[in-house]
Amino acid sequence: MKQIVCLHSLTPEQIRQIEQAAPGFELIIKNKKELTPEQVQAAEIIIGWSKTIASHALQEDSQLKWVQTWSAGVDTLPLERLRDRGILLTNSSGVHAIPISESIFAMMLSFSRQMHIAVRHQLQKKWESDLKVPGQSTLGEINGKTLVIVGVGEIGRETARLAQAFGMKVIGVRRSDRPEPNVDRMYTMESLHEALGQADYIVNVLPLTDETHHMFDAAAWNAAQKGACFINAGRGPTVDTASLIDALRSGQISGAGLDVFEQEPLPADNPLWEMDQVIITPHVAGSNDRYTERVVDIFTENVKAYVAGQKPPRNLVDYERMY
């Protein structure tokens, strides 16, 4: 019998959901340490990925034909080897739209209302109504401010929808300047710096590719409107960390909400830890209690098509674009 190997825990209902969508397949659920090399090599479909199983999954006699990742990003996978083997690759794009957009707004509202400073005062039992930090004004509001979203995919669309509800002007930046609901104006990547010059808040939700590596560098910060806040919920290496620290120190960027970093965990001696104008979360913006449910829904739709001899209709990765 053909085999599907899933590296993540599933509920009995989710197991039934997959089994009903994939008749003729045996579903094996084990973590990477429990799987034998023989089970990895025999799998036609793998849900999830791990460097631990890569050598066995990509052997010449492996049965692997399709990988459904547990994450939206695929930059940590051996893309060239998967492509050369003709293996289908689908990601979990769309799973993160709600939790990440809500995390983005938690950070933006914190900067606007200086909640992060109030919490630090609370820990010191300090009653202080002046919450401003160097380079920032006192309490503000996001209504009427301009938000620039760089990378308008599923997460960017949901972020734009929420921004419109808060009365913000929304500018989008992506490969295509095709209009998008809830985005007032769309720029292509070639016009990134022009867009940044209009931003009160900059949200980065770009994937990591050769093109986007260190896209946010000294030139980008200098092009930004002075005093803009920057939020990174995309990929850490899209940002040149050293130049961001310089921009924060100079006040060119007044605050940074960072969920992802070039090096994770963020080293204890990194200056970002000590900056009052920085909010740090440990790569958890996309985490929530409905994650597995949403991944299984994506996989179920895809596997129904796969069983019928069709390509998976959702989130098929373009190896040339790397997303």
Side-chain angles (χ1 to χ4, degrees), residues 166-279:
F166 274 95
M168 302 184 80
K169 177 183 178 182
V170 181
I171 293 174
V173 184
R174 64 181 181 189
R175 281 177 175 266
S176 167
D177 61 358
R178 184 180 67 254
E180 192 73 50
N182 302 310
V183 176
D184 295 295
R185 182 173 180 182
M186 190 74 75
Y187 287 85
T188 62
M189 298 303 294
E190 290 74 19
S191 299
L192 171 64
H193 288 187
E194 180 182 348
L196 295 181
Q198 305 171 58
D200 296 297
Y201 293 89
I202 302 164
V203 169
N204 172 30
V205 282
L206 287 171
L208 178 60
T209 67
D210 293 340
E211 178 187 1
T212 64
H213 183 265
H214 279 193
M215 182 163 281
F216 287 92
D217 56 8
W221 310 129
N222 290 334
Q225 178 171 278
K226 185 174 177 61
C229 282
F230 174 70
I231 295 171
N232 190 9
R235 280 290 183 264
T238 61
V239 176
D240 173 25
T241 306
S243 69
L244 173 60
I245 291 170
D246 289 343
L248 286 163
R249 284 172 170 163
S250 72
Q252 178 65 19
I253 298 298
S254 63
L258 307 172
D259 184 61
V260 292
F261 303 86
E262 285 194 88
Q263 183 180 350
E264 296 183 0
L266 183 67
D269 61 354
N270 191 292
L272 291 168
W273 287 111
E274 304 296 331
M275 292 183 168
D276 286 340
Q277 68 270 47
V278 174
I279 298 173

Side-chain angles (χ1 to χ4, degrees), residues 46-49 67-74 77 89-92 295:
I46 295 178
I47 306 173
W49 189 255
V67 174
Q68 167 73 57
T69 70
W70 205 254
S71 62
V74 296
L77 274 70
L89 178 62
T90 52
N91 64 19
S92 293
V295 174

Side-chain angles (χ1 to χ4, degrees), residues 74-104:
V74 296
D75 49 273
T76 60
L77 274 70
L79 297 181
E80 289 187 8
R81 295 178 67 191
L82 290 167
R83 180 199 62 200
D84 292 345
R85 288 284 307 276
I87 293 169
L88 296 170
L89 178 62
T90 52
N91 64 19
S92 293
S93 178
V95 168
H96 308 86
I98 293 174
I100 289 183
S101 61
E102 290 184 2
S103 294
I104 287 167

Side-chain angles (χ1 to χ4, degrees), residues 103-114 142 147 159 163 168 201-203 229 231 279:
S103 294
I104 287 167
F105 268 85
M107 289 181 173
M108 285 205 299
L109 290 167
S110 289
F111 285 126
S112 175
R113 303 303 301 163
Q114 304 296 338
I142 63 175
L147 169 63
T159 302
M168 302 184 80
Y201 293 89
I202 302 164
V203 169
C229 282
I231 295 171
I279 298 173

